[in-house]
Amino acid sequence: MTNATNDLEARLEGALLLPGAAGYDGARSVWNAMVDHRPRMIVRCAGVGDVVAAVRAARDMDLEIGVRCGGHSVIGLGVPHDGLMIDLTPMAAVHVDPAARRARVQGGALLGVLDAQAQRHGLATTAGNVSHTGVGGLTLGGGMGWMARKYGLTCDNVESFELVTAEGEVLRVTRDEHPELFWGLSGGGGNFGVVTEFEFRLHEIGTRALTVECSFELDQGVDVLRGWRDLNAEAPRESTFTASIGPDGLLTVGFVWVGDPEAGRGLAPRIAALGRPVAERVVEQSYLQLQRRDDVTDGHTLRRYWKGHFLRAFDDAAIGAFLRRGSADGTGEHLPNVGLQAYGGAIADVPDADTAFAHRGTLFEYVAAARWTDPGEDADRFAVARRCAGAVEPFASGVYVNTLSDEGDAGVRRAYGPDKLARLTALKRRYDPQNAFHLNHNIRPTG
Ligand SMILES: Cc1cc2nc3c(=O)[nH]c(=O)nc-3n(C[C@H](O)[C@H](O)[C@H](O)COP(=O)(O)OP(=O)(O)OC[C@H]3O[C@@H](n4cnc5c(N)ncnc54)[C@H](O)[C@@H]3O)c2cc1C
């Protein structure tokens, strides 16, 4: 160990892991099994003091910084190769104040912990659909979930951030304290520092949820999706419409309902009536079960690649492109799963200028998601997923920053648009002029 490494270790409350140490490989492994980055050191942070020490040490030692929470960045941005990884996972505590309807959440917590703690009181805030996703990355990019149409994105529900800046300063950031930074942290990703604590507003949602899904043969797809789109336009905010084509090659459409299931059941026959379903599923479950429903399908250990788009409209041409999945007739080898999730409602109520998160007029978010195990298929899986999503791109208005993978600067431009990107660039220049935090969907201080 060098003197600098010894000094860092002496200052830490948590542990410093070097290659070969027990726990090193576990700490650097992430959701996408393709990612095999080997940090020069990992700081397992026990608190804000450790984060400050890690940021300062990385800068003194000129090491690239990676910030890891849930490890769900599709391309493993949280884990720097040969750099210093700020591992926030030991900082996973959630404290709920039911009377004030607030949750204080440490920067390394997973969504499942937040959901579980809040649901003990019948409360929740918007969180993503898979419980092992990190609160950190999800919230900082926006945060879409089954409650967003009713209560806004996860970032819309933040009251305050505790932030460690590139200088190692600790700031409390609210709408009134450092308001420009508050704007930037509401969708601008991990560009401005390390968030060590989020404070969220919670909502009384009860504990129940309902999922309705009907599957149809693809030859009914155009009519089914037209009807599904039109039904979505009048759907209550408790519902989030979904559509997907999975490994069975069927088109599955329906909705997730958060709240009293009886109130949602009335919509179910209208989904079935969109065509001649070959399968119907109506599942009533607890909100916590819903939030863990996809944990296994979307679990760790598989190779992964994603492409996404935001769609402001879904006309017949877009429907056709969605159904064909970049092939002539919607069939073929190694086709990714494709899905649509409805936006609108409270997401669109927030004026677009209020947050760094952009594209609030989105109607549906599209994602093409490939998963496989054989490394020999890597190149083909990438190519087919790109072709599939490429066919929908002419109908897209932008992209969600948290769905970006390897698009680089072009993806960041699509995520924010020119005006927001200029404002984010100015903020970056002010808080991180050396671009110490660049392992993210990067906003460059130089523009
Ligand atoms: C299975 C799966 C399901 C998903 N479902 C949804 C969903 O329902 N809704 C949705 O909106 N998104 C969803 N996503 C996308 C998800 O929001 C992003 O992948 C997000 O980056 C994951 O955050 P993380 O903390 O888990 O990832 P990490 O890889 O740990 O972090 C990603 C990046 O976020 C930044 N970061 C993380 N924590 C902090 C922090 N505390 N302070 C500063 N920077 C930080 C860093 O730049 C880091 O590189 C899903 C992703 C996966 C893989």
Side-chain angles (χ1 to χ4, degrees):
M1 274 212 242
T2 64
N3 285 345
T5 316
N6 277 327
D7 285 353
L8 170 61
E9 191 171 34
R11 279 201 299 275
L12 294 177
E13 197 188 326
L16 180 72
L17 301 180
L18 300 180
Y24 172 84
D25 284 326
R28 73 183 180 88
S29 79
V30 290
W31 177 75
N32 183 350
M34 292 186 78
V35 176
D36 184 22
H37 302 166
R38 303 184 67 83
R40 194 169 318 168
M41 56 187 79
I42 296 175
V43 177
R44 305 252 309 145
C45 297
V48 61
D50 285 359
V51 176
V52 171
V55 169
R56 290 194 169 143
R59 302 207 63 190
D60 289 347
M61 292 189 264
D62 204 16
L63 289 176
E64 195 170 30
I65 297 174
V67 180
R68 188 232 160 101
C69 174
H72 277 39
S73 153
V74 182
I75 54 170
L77 286 169
V79 189
H81 193 65
D82 204 31
L84 185 151
M85 180 172 123
I86 297 180
D87 182 1
L88 297 172
T89 58
M91 295 170 61
V94 173
H95 294 290
V96 170
D97 179 341
R101 293 201 196 147
R102 291 281 189 276
R104 300 181 85 86
V105 179
Q106 281 190 301
L110 301 185
L111 298 180
V113 184
L114 170 56
D115 280 337
Q117 292 300 322
Q119 277 288 276
R120 290 173 58 204
H121 310 280
L123 301 171
T125 199
T126 304
N129 308 346
V130 173
S131 79
H132 44 71
T133 310
V135 172
L138 178 126
T139 307
L140 290 166
M144 176 59 189
W146 303 127
M147 286 169 51
R149 282 170 39 80
K150 177 106 172 164
Y151 296 109
L153 298 167
T154 313
C155 72
D156 299 333
N157 286 284
V158 175
E159 281 289 308
S160 68
F161 302 91
E162 181 183 76
L163 181 79
V164 176
T165 67
E167 293 302 314
E169 258 186 294
V170 182
L171 301 180
R172 181 178 143 83
V173 181
T174 67
R175 270 192 185 76
D176 302 321
E177 298 165 81
H178 311 288
E180 189 65 5
L181 207 41
F182 187 84
W183 176 87
L185 292 172
S186 302
N191 275 285
F192 305 106
V194 184
V195 175
T196 46
E197 188 178 271
F198 299 85
E199 184 188 2
F200 291 107
R201 284 190 297 281
L202 301 173
H203 308 277
E204 230 171 84
I205 64 148
T207 58
R208 306 301 299 163
L210 177 78
T211 302
V212 172
E213 286 177 342
C214 291
S215 297
F216 302 87
E217 299 288 356
L218 278 192
D219 59 9
Q220 294 177 54
V222 174
D223 287 339
V224 169
L225 282 176
R226 276 185 193 144
W228 170 85
R229 172 200 63 202
D230 295 345
L231 204 50
N232 171 67
E234 55 181 81
R237 291 179 173 205
E238 285 79 2
S239 67
T240 305
F241 272 42
T242 58
S244 62
I245 307 174
D248 57 10
L250 295 170
L251 169 67
T252 299
V253 300
F255 63 89
V256 167
W257 181 279
V258 176
D260 177 9
E262 281 316 308
R265 276 179 188 277
L267 257 180
R270 300 184 70 185
I271 296 289
L274 293 170
R276 294 181 306 283
V278 292
E280 294 186 40
R281 233 165 53 90
V282 177
V283 180
E284 195 180 317
Q285 57 194 166
S286 73
Y287 178 71
L288 282 181
Q289 284 168 332
L290 168 71
Q291 290 293 83
R292 294 175 188 142
R293 179 190 78 173
D294 298 328
D295 280 10
V296 175
T297 335
D298 285 328
H300 299 73
T301 74
L302 296 174
R303 305 175 84 76
R304 306 278 189 167
Y305 188 63
W306 275 6
K307 287 278 154 205
H309 302 299
F310 278 148
L311 307 177
R312 285 185 82 93
F314 197 46
D315 62 13
D316 283 0
I319 288 175
F322 174 78
L323 289 168
R324 283 191 299 278
R325 291 195 279 176
S327 72
D329 59 358
T331 64
E333 271 280 285
H334 296 168
L335 285 173
N337 290 358
V338 292
L340 295 167
Q341 186 171 358
Y343 275 54
I347 303 167
D349 287 349
V350 176
D352 202 67
D354 280 15
T355 56
F357 179 89
H359 306 294
R360 286 189 180 267
T362 294
L363 180 64
F364 299 119
E365 187 194 355
Y366 164 92
V367 178
R371 59 168 193 264
W372 68 101
T373 50
D374 179 0
E377 292 178 7
D378 288 357
D380 193 49
R381 294 281 184 172
F382 275 56
V384 177
R386 285 181 183 140
R387 195 174 66 225
C388 180
V392 176
E393 188 157 351
F395 309 99
S397 49
V399 65
Y400 178 25
V401 71
N402 274 347
T403 311
L404 286 174
S405 56
D406 55 357
E407 296 84 347
D409 290 344
V412 173
R413 284 194 295 272
R414 280 188 83 209
Y416 297 111
D419 295 351
K420 284 196 180 178
L421 193 52
R423 190 167 164 186
L424 284 163
T425 302
L427 191 64
K428 180 76 172 178
R429 212 174 289 134
R430 185 162 156 206
Y431 284 97
D432 185 16
Q434 312 291 323
N435 208 3
F437 299 111
H438 62 259
L439 282 180
N440 42 44
H441 296 296
N442 195 220
I443 292 152
R444 295 176 197 281
T446 47

